[in-house]
Amino acid sequence: MANSNPSVWHSPIRSISDDPSSPYFLHYSDNPGLVLVSQPLTRDNFASWSRAMRIALSVKNKLGFVDGSILKPTDSEVDLLNAWIRNNNIVISWLLNSVSKDISASILFADSAKEIWNDLKDRFQQSNGPRIFQLRRDLITLKQDQDSVSVYFTKIKAIWEELNHFRPMCSCGKCSCDGVKNLEEYVQMDYTMIFLMGLNDSFNHVRSQILLLDPLPPISRVFALVVQEERQRAIGNHNTMNTSSRNMAFAIKNA
């Protein structure tokens, strides 16, 4: 049976660094200047930043260097130790590239990616209570205002998805009653209600029509209905403007 411990990974054919399935493998694009996430870490976004970084590191097969599952080899394992040091330094570079400048200065002299990760987690991970309060407040107070429906929905979805991260869910796969299903339906209804509440008053008609539906459609369908209404208005306004322009041109021509 093959050894599954990445810290003692062995290949009978080639070097561990040449095996694409090994966490020690470095693709030619895995350079120190690579930026893995679009939004750098600040003092207020650790939850979303850490999730994005974990996904990116997982894709690169380097997550073990920050969660501690890939242990540093002993001095006697020279080739393996050199590979570990090289990969550890690459991951450190990626972390430095993915945080704000004032934060990067405080982690520059850390010896391992795991040390940096734990330091950032200890400093910036907020306890659940204050963060949930902030997200709920942002969700309730968010309004469409001058945004398009798509931009407004994107803002709501970003807050909702992070809030969902804190919501307890059944993960055992053995729940057989309808309680979990009913709870999920209620949560989705809450999502839909918040979206509808923040829409501009100009959407009162379509909002009223949606609320009359029983059961309420899923949020994706509600969004599609509102966007459709927005597009129809844009077409109507465009046609009205074209008619007005043609009438004006005709009046000028016959003046």
Side-chain angles (χ1 to χ4, degrees), residues 13 45 54 59 61 66 89 103 108 123 140 160 166 187-188 207 251:
I13 302 175
N45 67 340
R54 288 179 67 88
V59 170
N61 202 14
V66 298
N89 287 338
I103 295 176
L108 183 59
R123 281 195 284 161
I140 293 172
W160 184 266
F166 297 103
V187 169
Q188 289 302 309
R207 176 165 47 203

Side-chain angles (χ1 to χ4, degrees), residues 195-216:
F195 171 68
L196 293 174
M197 287 169 58
L199 286 172
N200 291 338
D201 290 341
S202 59
F203 289 99
N204 275 345
H205 178 71
V206 66
R207 176 165 47 203
S208 298
Q209 293 299 313
I210 292 172
L211 290 173
L212 288 174
L213 299 175
D214 188 18
L216 280 175

Side-chain angles (χ1 to χ4, degrees), residues 17 57 61 83 120 135 143 165 175-176 197 203 223 253:
S17 299
L57 289 171
N61 202 14
L120 296 176
L135 291 170
K143 303 296 180 184
H165 176 73
C175 300
S176 57
M197 287 169 58
F203 289 99
F223 168 68
K253 181 179 180 181

Side-chain angles (χ1 to χ4, degrees), residues 112 162 210:
S112 70
E162 184 176 349
I210 292 172

